[in-house]
Amino acid sequence: MRSNLIAFAVGVGLLQVQPALPELPPLAGALAAALLLLAIFRRQPLVRRGLLIGTCALFGFSWAALRADWRLHDDLPGEWEGRDVQVVGVVAALPHGFERGERFEFDVEAVLTPHARLPRRVNLSWYHGWREDEWRNGLAIRPGERWRFTLRLKRPHGNANPHGFDYEAWLFERSLRATGYVRPHADAQRVDDFVWRPGYAIERLRELIRRSFFAVLPDAPYVGVLVALAIGDQQAIPAEQWRLFRQTGVTHLMSISGLHVTMVAALFAALAGYLWRRSERALLWLPAPKLSILAGWLAAGGYSLLAGFAVPAQRTFYMLSVVALALWSSRNLGASRSLLLAMLFVLVLDPWAVLAAGFWLSFAAVGLLFLVGTARLGSVHGWRDALAHWGTTQWAVSIGTLPLMLLLFQQFSLVSPAANALAIPLVSFVITPLALLFAVFPWPLLLHVDHWLLAVLMDCLSWLAG
């Protein structure tokens, strides 16, 4: 099973490095031939084993090619580049402000210009005016609103510099098949204040939470980090703070990562199990351990959705889903099978995840944690054992991911172990829970205390970076 899952992942990865998308009919023929050979050699274990691994790799390659073909067909025809097109659609995600306007994802529902064909989702900029007196006051974009716009679009493209950010691949992963802007002098009309769909409702909730954070701390230097920890919106974190996080190796903590999703799931599971055990009737209906599993899984899913269901949160949620299903069914899949099944779910739903450095780092880190955890026999007694175990896992992850860090980023922070030893418990068990608590109960004192704790941490990180 493990080798088959790994072979599927290798096949998905091989497709992403091809210079051109292969034709689908030959791939279908190759799959049919592989299945026929498996049937012919079913009584020869060694040959069948090799054929099965190759077939799984071919399945991964073919699935990634099929998904890429579907997405490439949702494109902007060349004849409609740079031309005015009138559309009706919905603001699909959190807008992000910049110096002269807003940038947002837009779901195209109807194209009003005759004969025009557009992708289903585009990435738009709305420039509110070149001079201060031309700014359109009161036209702030909100998620879930339906608008009528006149757009000018172009097909996605980006720089091809070595080791640079691949903007075109980033757009492709998110199914944004065109970019453009709202025409400044054309009519822009809000058609509906809110279009009810589950995805739009979640984005509107995220927007309300973001507003509440900035209403309490409008000029605070680290409010952007708190927003990122609560709803996964990283746009308000300045470049200087990102540079500090990279220098100290704590970038993975300053957004909703797998560690945060797991922490929320564990807290909700423990709380639900504690309350459930107080009722004998409830215990007779459903055992407390199974209720804890269900509560933790639901909490992880809710927090992942609140974070915009970004790829790191997806990976963790799928992994927790595999573990929760195994525990619910009283089966012990083992650490490696759980990890590989989670990888399978991620790649089936998002074959382009292999292009992200976080995909490799997160699975490597979780694998190392599994390895270190299973290597320790017995339970932890007392604070000294707990501290020793914490130090062991910290060093294992820091040293174990060093080759990947050097391969992916050509750099590594020497103070990363010390910075993470301080930041991981403080961010995961104090700062993030307080930010989430404020999102549910908007009491300003909670956020002020949380920001003060974050400021203390940032001072320590600045000292380490120096």
Side-chain angles (χ1 to χ4, degrees):
M1 178 182 179
R2 296 182 184 90
S3 55
N4 296 336
L5 294 174
I6 293 173
F8 182 88
V10 169
V12 171
L14 283 176
L15 186 278
Q16 309 303 334
V17 297
Q18 298 303 306
L21 193 66
E23 296 290 335
L24 293 181
L27 283 179
L31 275 174
L35 293 175
L36 179 61
L37 289 174
L38 277 175
I40 294 173
F41 293 99
R42 64 182 183 277
R43 298 186 184 278
Q44 300 183 27
L46 289 179
V47 177
R48 185 178 182 277
R49 185 63 180 158
L51 285 172
L52 186 59
I53 292 175
T55 303
C56 289
L58 188 57
F59 262 114
F61 189 89
S62 303
W63 173 248
L66 181 63
R67 289 290 306 275
D69 185 71
W70 290 345
R71 188 155 293 183
L72 286 172
H73 275 85
D74 183 33
D75 63 346
L76 176 69
E79 60 268 22
W80 287 100
E81 278 194 301
R83 296 175 61 180
D84 287 353
V85 182
Q86 193 173 42
V87 301
V88 174
V90 182
V91 179
L94 272 178
H96 301 294
F98 57 95
E99 186 178 357
R100 292 181 287 108
E102 297 171 277
R103 187 171 290 112
F104 55 97
E105 297 178 12
F106 190 71
D107 283 344
V108 177
E109 293 183 319
V111 181
L112 305 182
T113 302
H115 310 298
R117 183 171 68 85
L118 305 183
R120 289 174 294 178
R121 177 170 287 202
V122 296
N123 198 39
L124 297 179
S125 299
W126 192 357
Y127 299 92
H128 293 311
W130 293 98
R131 298 194 308 269
E132 187 175 354
D133 57 354
E134 292 180 352
W135 279 63
R136 302 188 181 193
N137 296 322
L139 288 183
I141 294 290
R142 301 188 69 187
E145 293 179 336
R146 179 178 281 125
W147 283 79
R148 180 184 291 114
F149 284 137
T150 299
L151 307 179
R152 183 165 288 185
L153 301 174
K154 63 181 178 181
R155 287 179 288 185
H157 70 277
N159 296 327
N161 297 326
H163 310 297
F165 177 66
D166 193 340
Y167 181 61
E168 187 174 351
W170 183 87
L171 292 170
F172 190 80
E173 288 179 63
R174 286 152 183 79
S175 194
L176 298 169
R177 301 297 296 129
T179 63
Y181 61 93
V182 179
R183 293 289 283 161
H185 301 296
D187 180 47
Q189 180 182 357
R190 183 187 287 111
V191 179
D192 290 310
D193 290 332
F194 182 70
V195 177
W196 169 251
R197 286 183 192 172
Y200 299 155
I202 292 170
E203 292 298 320
R204 179 62 67 91
L205 175 62
R206 297 177 69 214
E207 192 254 355
L208 292 173
I209 294 174
R210 183 174 67 176
R211 286 192 176 194
S212 67
F213 274 77
F214 283 103
V216 175
L217 298 174
D219 301 317
Y222 308 122
V223 64
V225 177
L226 296 178
V227 171
L229 292 173
I231 62 170
D233 178 27
Q234 305 174 1
Q235 299 297 318
I237 302 179
E240 295 78 13
Q241 293 177 14
W242 281 121
R243 189 177 303 111
L244 175 63
F245 300 151
R246 287 194 298 269
Q247 289 173 344
T248 53
V250 298
T251 305
H252 62 102
L253 285 176
M254 299 308 165
S255 59
I256 296 180
S257 66
L259 182 63
H260 300 142
V261 176
T262 306
M263 176 270 299
V264 169
L267 287 177
F268 271 82
L271 179 61
Y274 174 79
L275 295 176
W276 198 256
R277 289 184 179 92
R278 307 278 76 81
S279 171
E280 292 183 3
R281 182 177 298 179
L283 288 172
L284 291 173
W285 182 69
L286 184 68
K290 288 198 172 185
L291 187 277
S292 298
I293 294 168
L294 180 61
W297 180 77
L298 290 174
Y303 188 35
S304 300
L305 289 175
L306 190 63
F309 214 50
V311 174
Q314 287 181 36
R315 289 191 293 263
T316 307
F317 178 65
Y318 298 147
M319 193 179 304
L320 289 175
S321 299
V322 171
V323 174
L325 184 61
L327 292 174
W328 185 277
S329 61
S330 302
R331 293 178 179 270
N332 183 13
L333 291 178
S336 59
R337 283 193 182 93
S338 300
L339 193 66
L340 290 172
L341 282 172
M343 181 183 293
L344 174 67
F345 280 124
V346 171
L347 294 180
V348 167
L349 297 175
D350 182 15
W352 304 280
V354 295
L355 299 174
F359 173 85
W360 303 102
L361 288 172
S362 62
F363 276 102
V366 173
L368 287 166
L369 290 175
F370 277 147
L371 181 65
V372 174
T374 54
R376 293 179 61 87
L377 300 177
S379 57
V380 177
H381 300 286
W383 67 270
R384 292 183 179 179
D385 283 352
L387 187 61
H389 181 61
W390 176 259
T392 301
T393 55
Q394 180 60 40
W395 279 104
V397 173
S398 298
I399 296 176
T401 56
L402 175 58
L404 265 180
M405 294 284 287
L406 293 175
L407 177 65
L408 295 170
F409 304 113
Q410 295 82 49
Q411 61 182 354
F412 179 77
S413 173
L414 293 176
V415 298
S416 174
N420 278 279
L422 172 66
I424 287 176
L426 189 57
V427 171
S428 299
F429 298 108
V430 182
I431 294 176
T432 301
L434 284 176
L436 289 174
L437 193 61
F438 173 79
V440 179
F441 304 104
W443 186 29
L445 182 61
L446 282 174
L447 202 57
H448 285 288
V449 171
D450 204 17
H451 188 272
W452 177 80
L453 289 171
L454 181 58
V456 172
L457 174 62
M458 295 295 287
D459 289 341
C460 296
L461 293 179
S462 298
W463 180 81
L464 284 172

